Amino acid sequence: ALDLRSDPEIVAAAMSSGDRALQHAARELRADRAMMAVAVRHDGCSLNNATQELRADRELVLTAVRQDGRALDYASLKLREDREVVLAAVNQIGSALEFAAPALQADREIVFAAVSKCGCALQHASATLKDDIDIAGVAILADWHALDFLGPRLRSDRQLALAAVKQSGAAMQHVAECLRADREIVLAAVRRSGDALQHAAPALRAEKGIVLAAVKIHGHAL
């Protein structure tokens, strides 16, 4: 019987449905550049099904990462070192920084673009850029969880902690110990979530004004 997985028309029709049909297609179609070009326009991560030769095709990979930045994971090592390819990927989804070559994880423009989209992409930045105040600030504004990925110099930065707790009181449990006795930070946190009170320094947990602010948000914070 004819194996219809080798029929380009059938495979192309299956791909247009949005299903990842290419993974079931015959191997010769995965080596077909025209077919792969159609595939990655529908689903960038279809690059996973391409041959090694096509994963090194710069134009094809660019198309893939512009559709889904995570396709960078399937690009050749050489293209993960390509600045334009990586920038296109992180502009589509910041977390694609994970798949960039180390040299580009240390590229300030690329990391800035990545953390603007996804604050937690900071975890994939170079050690130097994790301690860059501007990049860290952008990361925390995008997602307060980026607090967990700050470099050692910034972990006790007051303004970054304040920016985080103003987004979510839950950030208080990730704030450096030395800042948990900072009245402004604790007050900002409990005004977002009364539960943040439990992560404050003992002296502030006993301060009437702080406790009052907390119980106004959550009565059970008392």
Side-chain angles (χ1 to χ4, degrees), residues 9-25:
E9 184 178 0
I10 286 178
V11 174
M15 287 190 300
S16 69
S17 72
D19 189 25
R20 294 188 173 181
L22 197 62
Q23 61 187 316
H24 305 296

Side-chain angles (χ1 to χ4, degrees), residues 11 23 27 32 38 49-50 65 75 77 106 115-116 137 154 167 192 196:
V11 174
Q23 61 187 316
R27 179 168 176 78
D32 184 308
V38 172
N49 297 301
V65 299
L77 292 177
V115 300
S116 297
L154 296 181
Q167 279 188 55
R192 296 293 293 173

Side-chain angles (χ1 to χ4, degrees), residues 158 162 179-191 204 207-211:
R158 187 176 182 278
L162 190 57
L179 296 175
R180 297 186 184 197
D182 184 302
R183 191 178 192 281
E184 185 181 1
I185 289 174
V186 172
L187 192 57
V190 299
R191 283 174 173 167
L204 293 181
E207 185 180 313
K208 183 177 179 179
I210 298 284
V211 174

Side-chain angles (χ1 to χ4, degrees), residues 91-124:
N91 275 327
Q92 201 284 318
I93 183 168
S95 59
L97 185 64
E98 176 182 359
F99 309 118
L104 295 182
Q105 292 175 337
D107 182 299
R108 197 170 190 278
E109 182 186 356
I110 286 174
V111 173
F112 197 93
V115 300
S116 297
K117 288 276 187 181
C118 171
C120 287
L122 186 64
Q123 67 188 292
H124 305 300

